[in-house]
């Protein structure tokens, strides 16, 4: 049971079984209604899921290897939209090939229905994102902000970076107006994140570094 006042985000859950306690997997709490991906395959622009209003929140699945899901939507000239895919079977950036790791690293591609002399239905890729930044130990969920230069019908493709798929390859697709930041998981209790690219430095930085080396002195603070 999830209390009604629970803040949206990812929360770890474990199950207690006769064989012991399971590993933690994230459970997503959404702040608005979720639309389930319609049954069947949606691997072409003709079978794409029609997004009728924005903001939109979808729950989908790549049920087999090599599968991709297409979503169609309309954008106006000069409009900025944020697209984010959050994996329910998260891939954590680590050494080795993503193709050999049984987790879901989603990727996003936006196509324009432009056509060509040879194929009137040809899609032209105009934007792509695998993850905002690749950092060891961080999730690899895709986040893409794009400004559309002209009005028209567009197609969004969701796939696994290395073509994986299966019953556990579920995802949450968020489409929001304007530029929105990534939906990160809740921060650690002490706010410390060694693998982050940014870090707040305060006047006690020298003392903090000294304590890491086993020295707890009283060096002068940095002004």
């Amino acid at each position: 049971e999830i209390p009604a006042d629970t803040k949206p985000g990812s929360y770890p859950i474990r199950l207690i079984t006769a064989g012991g306690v399971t590993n933690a997997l994230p459970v997503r709490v959404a702040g608005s209604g979720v639309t389930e991906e319609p049954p069947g395959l949606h691997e072409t622009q003709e079978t794409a899921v029609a997004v009728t209003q924005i903001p939109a929140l979808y729950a989908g699945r790549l049920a087999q290897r090599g599968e991709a899901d297409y979503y169609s939507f309309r954008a106006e000239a000069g409009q900025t939209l944020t697209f984010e895919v959050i994996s329910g079977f998260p891939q954590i950036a680590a050494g080795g090939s993503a193709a050999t790791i049984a987790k879901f690293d989603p990727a996003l591609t936006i196509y324009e229905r432009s056509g060509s002399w040879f194929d009137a239905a040809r899609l032209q890729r105009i934007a792509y994102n695998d993850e905002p930044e690749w950092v060891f130990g961080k999730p690899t969920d895709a986040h893409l902000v794009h400004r559309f230069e002209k009005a028209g019908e567009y197609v969004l493709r969701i796939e696994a970076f290395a073509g994986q798929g299966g019953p556990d390859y579920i995802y949450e697709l968020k489409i929001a107006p304007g530029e929105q930041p990534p939906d990160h998981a809740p921060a650690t209790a002490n706010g410390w994140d060694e693998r982050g690219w940014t870090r707040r430095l305060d006047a006690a930085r020298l003392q903090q570094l000294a304590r890491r080396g086993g020295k707890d002195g009283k060096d002068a603070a940095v002004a």
Side-chain angles (χ1 to χ4, degrees), residues 10 17-18 29 34 49-50 54 60 70 82 84 93 105 117 123 137 146 151 154 165 169 171 174 178-179 185 195 220:
S10 297
T17 72
V29 176
V34 180
V49 179
I54 295 174
Y70 284 75
T82 297
E84 185 170 20
D105 177 5
W117 288 353
L123 295 175
H146 186 74
Y154 295 87
Y169 285 73
Y171 63 83
K174 298 172 63 177
E179 182 175 354
R195 294 185 174 93

Side-chain angles (χ1 to χ4, degrees), residues 59-70:
R61 183 194 311 268
L62 302 180
Q64 56 190 5
R65 288 186 60 85
E67 182 179 342
D69 283 342
Y70 284 75

Side-chain angles (χ1 to χ4, degrees), residues 168-217:
D168 294 326
Y169 285 73
I170 58 175
Y171 63 83
E172 175 188 286
L173 167 63
K174 298 172 63 177
I175 306 178
E179 182 175 354
Q180 305 292 334
D183 188 350
H184 293 296
T188 56
N190 59 8
W192 181 79
D193 187 356
E194 177 61 29
R195 294 185 174 93
W197 288 108
T198 58
R199 185 176 305 163
R200 182 179 180 273
L201 302 180
D202 56 27
R205 182 61 177 169
L206 291 181
Q207 286 87 344
Q208 294 169 0
L209 293 175
R211 284 195 293 271
R212 288 190 188 182
K215 177 185 176 182
D216 192 8

Side-chain angles (χ1 to χ4, degrees), residues 53-159:
Q53 63 180 12
I54 295 174
L57 190 62
Y58 285 87
R61 183 194 311 268
L62 302 180
Q64 56 190 5
R65 288 186 60 85
E67 182 179 342
D69 283 342
Y70 284 75
Y71 292 79
S72 62
F73 63 96
R74 179 173 178 81
E76 302 301 329
Q79 185 178 16
T80 297
L81 295 176
T82 297
F83 305 86
E84 185 170 20
V85 174
I86 299 175
S87 169
F89 191 38
Q91 164 85 36
I92 301 299
S97 169
T100 64
I101 303 174
K103 294 294 176 74
F104 182 11
D105 177 5
L108 281 170
T109 308
I110 298 176
Y111 294 95
E112 180 183 10
R113 299 178 188 264
S114 60
S116 69
W117 288 353
F118 303 101
D119 183 3
R122 179 179 181 271
L123 295 175
Q124 178 182 353
R125 190 175 86 164
I126 59 174
Y128 172 83
N129 182 260
D130 178 25
E131 59 260 343
E133 56 184 15
W134 195 90
V135 184
F136 281 108
K138 290 290 188 180
T140 57
D141 293 331
H143 178 264
L144 176 60
V145 178
H146 186 74
R147 182 181 184 275
F148 296 86
E149 296 184 357
K150 55 185 178 180
E153 298 293 329
Y154 295 87
V155 176
L156 178 72
R157 174 187 170 104
I158 300 174
E159 61 188 322

